[in-house]
């Protein structure tokens, strides 16, 4: 995936985020917009260790195990610090733990 592709994703997600910030579902909308676009952009690339850890974190989020998910996602980000999907999932895990400001910071790192 080219750097320009990520910038385009970030730009469209940022516009959507700005439109949603005034609503109570703003964070949910941001998560959905970012994860949907990023998953489509990387769908056909081979899985790396960072992706494997991200996928583990994603499943832990679905299981409601946010602290364990955060650990897996931090490991993914240690291997690939700008991995956008891991940053979004980290935001989701942080939000699940009630750390809303930290969740927003994680989302902003994607943009």
């Amino acid at each position: 995936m080219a750097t320009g592709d990520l910038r385009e994703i970030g730009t469209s997600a940022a516009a959507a985020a700005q439109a949603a910030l005034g609503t109570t579902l703003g964070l949910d909308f941001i998560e959905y917009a970012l994860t949907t676009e990023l998953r489509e952009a990387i769908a056909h690339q081979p899985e790396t260790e960072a992706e494997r850890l991200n996928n583990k974190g994603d499943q832990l989020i679905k299981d409601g195990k946010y602290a364990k998910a955060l650990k897996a996602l931090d490991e993914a980000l240690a291997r690939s610090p700008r991995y956008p999907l891991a940053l979004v999932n980290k935001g989701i895990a942080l939000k699940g733990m009630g750390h809303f400001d930290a969740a927003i910071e994680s989302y902003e790192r994607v943009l």
Side-chain angles (χ1 to χ4, degrees):
M1 174 178 3
T3 304
D5 294 341
L6 281 180
R7 285 192 187 120
E8 185 176 313
I9 290 168
T11 301
S12 61
Q18 288 176 345
L21 283 177
T23 71
T24 57
L25 298 177
L27 288 178
D28 292 334
F29 181 79
I30 292 167
E31 292 163 4
Y32 176 79
L34 289 172
T35 57
T36 300
E37 290 185 48
L38 291 170
R39 286 182 198 282
E40 290 172 7
I42 63 173
H44 300 291
Q45 297 181 11
E47 186 175 66
T48 65
E49 181 64 11
E51 289 170 323
R52 186 190 69 73
L53 289 163
N54 173 69
N55 292 339
K56 178 181 177 181
D58 186 47
Q59 185 58 53
L60 288 164
I61 288 168
K62 290 175 183 172
D63 295 341
K65 299 176 181 176
Y66 300 113
K68 288 183 180 182
L70 188 58
K71 183 178 181 214
L73 295 163
D74 281 339
E75 289 178 31
L77 290 166
R79 287 166 174 76
S80 183
R82 300 284 305 157
Y83 181 31
L85 199 49
L87 288 165
V88 172
N89 282 335
K90 181 176 180 174
I92 294 168
L94 288 164
K95 186 186 92 172
M97 297 169 69
H99 303 296
F100 302 110
D101 290 338
I104 292 169
E105 288 175 20
S106 190
Y107 300 142
E108 288 176 341
R109 287 183 56 200
V110 176
L111 307 175

